[in-house]
Amino acid sequence: MIWTASQDTLPPVPPARRLDPSPEVLAETVELTAAHLDSRAHTVADFERSLDGLVRHAHRDRHPLARALADALGHRYTEEIEAQRLGGLHVVVASLLWRVPGYSLKPEYVRRGRGHEECAQGGLELVLAARLREISYRLMSKEPLPFLLSTPTWDTGALEAAELVERLTEYHRLNVTPGPADFAQALLRLRRDGAADGAAAEAAARLGTAEGARLASWLGPDGEPAPALRRVAEPDPQTHKAWQRAGTAAAQVVFHSGERAALQREFPEPFHWLGRPHEGFTQCYHWYEGHLVRASVLPEDRETQAAWLLPQVTLAATAGDHGSSWMLPHLARLGGPAGPALHAAVAAGLGGRYVESRRPAVEALLVLAARGELDAPLLGRELAAMTALGTVKPNRLADAARCAAAAGAHATLWTVLAEVLPTLLPSVRGAGEVLAIAASCAEHCAATGPVPDAVAAAAARRGSAAVTTEARRLSAALATG
């Protein structure tokens, strides 16, 4: 059905911020690196600026950098330690201090930990490890990189194609061989921008290098994210048995991330997993640290990341688990299509058992709506489907919708809830609460249009039950606008 309504007045969404250049002064680079390693909130900006600064200063003169790092951070690396035991920037710093054996930095030693072969976050972590160890190996060699190709333009992790062309041009001028993992990460970060992509592809092809040709091809169909495929999964007690939760005993909506043949064919082996179909993982310790940096591996493919996140968000609705709804606002701020998987993850989040699990989903809804990327009918249909499955309880949805409406999303919420009401009426427990929010939203946004059949039928019933009363209120609101 089609309704007319006034526009929402939504909270503003902070735009993506362009990264500042890495510090020119050596002492500032060391200070930034130490602060990043001490922080529990690993931001993309601090991580990438620290990494790029270390690479640039090491290329200029490694010895002063090593002395400064030894003074500030040497106490952390008192003995030689293999690369696989070091996470994040620790492996780069320890390599600059000659505390990492070179063999452990080689590509063949970048592999999954046993028991986490299907973990989505483990896959992203593997890409980070491959990139960091490659950089560290080059730092220990006689051919350190002058700068990185994959340093993002924006604090989401996205990289402008024209900027990557400029960097490849400088590499070509300096006769520098790009690091395979660094270049692969740069490609995954490219922000697609319509007409600008064509100009960047032409400039890349003119370089006459293998990397220029790959960049040009990647800006075409090869680099487009694959759509995720939806299905309703029945519980399987043999699947991921070690991580089962009570909430996995019911059918639930899941998405297969799509296959990307070019990624498996042309990228280094640690990247291949990202190009294979995957359905997410019910539970994994990786969700609880460093998620922003891992999300920056695929900053322009939030659909794939949402498909992987969905089972964990669903746990917050179906089990005594807080899940990972807290990641939803960040995914909403990333780039790429905001498609069915992301909307399904938001829907599951709105049904979280705990208030603190629902709030991030409400924030994600508001972010998408403010950016003009929310498909309200799609979100409503997914909520209806999850309500029918029992994933989303009406009373929890009502509470989440109330919070979103309080932020000014009345027209958006009315459009969403209009898709849910037929599933709840006439007698699902909690339908009256949802109807009340829908009626309030319709009144606030002056919605007009046909009364949904399910609402009309409920309004025509005798008595003064909450469902009947709120159905009449909603009918009157739609009739008068």
Side-chain angles (χ1 to χ4, degrees):
M1 295 184 183
I2 299 175
W3 295 274
T4 59
S6 60
Q7 293 295 310
D8 288 331
T9 303
L10 299 169
V13 178
R17 184 176 62 84
R18 185 177 284 270
L19 255 64
D20 294 329
S22 56
E24 287 288 336
V25 179
L26 188 150
E28 292 179 4
T29 295
V30 174
E31 182 180 353
L32 177 63
T33 301
H36 170 76
L37 293 176
D38 286 337
S39 174
R40 292 179 62 86
H42 289 175
T43 68
V44 175
D46 286 349
F47 175 80
E48 294 292 347
R49 292 181 67 235
S50 299
L51 181 58
D52 188 56
L54 292 172
V55 169
R56 289 176 183 271
H57 284 289
H59 184 262
R60 293 170 193 163
D61 194 339
R62 178 195 176 98
H63 300 295
L65 175 61
R67 286 194 297 269
L69 288 172
D71 291 341
L73 299 168
H75 63 282
R76 300 179 183 227
Y77 318 100
T78 56
E79 59 185 23
E80 189 174 72
I81 183 170
E82 293 188 342
Q84 60 267 29
R85 296 173 58 192
L86 293 166
L89 287 186
H90 285 290
V91 69
V92 178
V93 175
S95 297
L96 285 166
L97 297 176
W98 298 100
R99 292 289 189 267
V100 179
Y103 74 84
S104 69
L105 297 170
K106 292 183 177 180
E108 56 265 32
Y109 286 90
V110 182
R111 58 174 72 98
R112 290 261 200 167
R114 299 187 67 178
H116 293 280
E117 291 83 357
E118 290 301 313
C119 171
Q121 292 298 296
L124 297 174
E125 190 71 43
L126 195 69
V127 170
L128 280 170
R131 179 185 175 222
L132 290 169
R133 293 186 205 177
E134 176 185 273
I135 291 168
S136 300
Y137 192 80
R138 292 288 290 264
L139 288 174
M140 296 180 73
S141 73
K142 295 181 180 179
E143 297 181 346
L145 298 169
F147 55 86
L148 299 176
L149 296 174
S150 56
T151 301
T153 307
W154 305 99
D155 61 358
T156 60
L159 173 61
E160 295 294 334
E163 196 165 333
L164 180 54
V165 172
E166 292 176 3
R167 295 174 187 175
L168 286 175
T169 302
E170 184 64 9
Y171 263 44
H172 186 48
R173 187 186 71 81
L174 296 172
N175 197 29
V176 174
T177 301
D182 185 45
F183 180 57
Q185 176 63 95
L187 292 180
L188 289 179
R189 285 180 162 167
L190 289 178
R191 189 176 74 87
R192 304 182 77 84
D193 188 23
D197 291 346
E202 291 178 5
R206 286 196 297 269
L207 289 174
T209 64
E211 289 76 21
R214 282 186 61 194
L215 170 55
S217 177
W218 192 254
L219 287 170
D222 281 356
E224 292 180 355
L229 303 177
R230 183 188 187 278
R231 76 182 183 95
V232 175
E234 297 295 332
D236 182 355
Q238 300 305 313
T239 301
H240 305 310
K241 188 174 181 180
W243 297 101
Q244 282 292 325
R245 293 291 188 273
T248 61
Q252 56 190 245
V253 174
V254 295
F255 278 78
H256 272 289
S257 57
E259 185 168 10
R260 303 180 71 176
L263 203 156
Q264 297 179 64
R265 183 177 63 247
E266 300 171 0
F267 282 56
E269 197 280 332
F271 291 74
H272 291 179
W273 187 92
L274 304 182
R276 299 185 187 122
H278 186 69
E279 202 168 79
F281 194 49
T282 302
Q283 179 77 0
C284 175
Y285 72 90
H286 280 105
W287 286 113
Y288 299 102
E289 290 182 1
H291 66 288
L292 298 183
V293 174
R294 283 196 299 276
S296 72
V297 170
L298 294 171
E300 292 295 297
D301 192 1
R302 54 187 167 179
E303 265 295 276
T304 293
Q305 296 203 57
W308 294 339
L309 180 67
L310 179 56
Q312 182 68 7
V313 176
T314 301
L315 271 180
T318 59
D321 193 303
H322 286 281
S324 289
S325 295
W326 44 264
M327 195 169 172
L328 290 173
H330 182 68
L331 286 189
R333 291 182 174 92
L334 295 184
L342 181 57
H343 283 73
V346 172
L350 293 173
R353 174 171 294 187
Y354 303 105
V355 172
E356 55 268 33
S357 297
R358 296 193 289 270
R359 284 174 181 165
V362 171
E363 183 182 347
L365 183 157
L366 295 173
V367 168
L368 291 171
R371 289 169 51 144
E373 297 173 328
L374 183 73
D375 186 334
L378 173 61
L379 178 61
R381 290 192 296 273
E382 197 58 77
L383 280 167
M386 291 186 181
T387 300
L389 289 171
T391 302
V392 174
K393 306 298 184 187
N395 62 318
R396 299 172 190 169
L397 172 59
D399 178 73
R402 194 177 294 113
C403 292
H410 297 105
T412 296
L413 260 297
W414 157 240
T415 306
V416 170
L417 296 179
E419 299 287 341
V420 182
L421 293 176
T423 302
L424 301 182
L425 298 173
S427 58
V428 173
R429 184 178 180 181
E433 287 187 73
V434 178
L435 257 174
I437 302 298
S440 176
C441 288
E443 290 169 348
H444 275 86
C445 69
T448 59
V451 177
D453 292 343
V455 174
R461 295 165 65 184
R462 295 180 179 179
S464 57
V467 168
T468 303
T469 300
E470 297 300 337
R472 291 169 182 165
R473 177 187 169 196
L474 176 54
S475 298
L478 293 175
T480 59

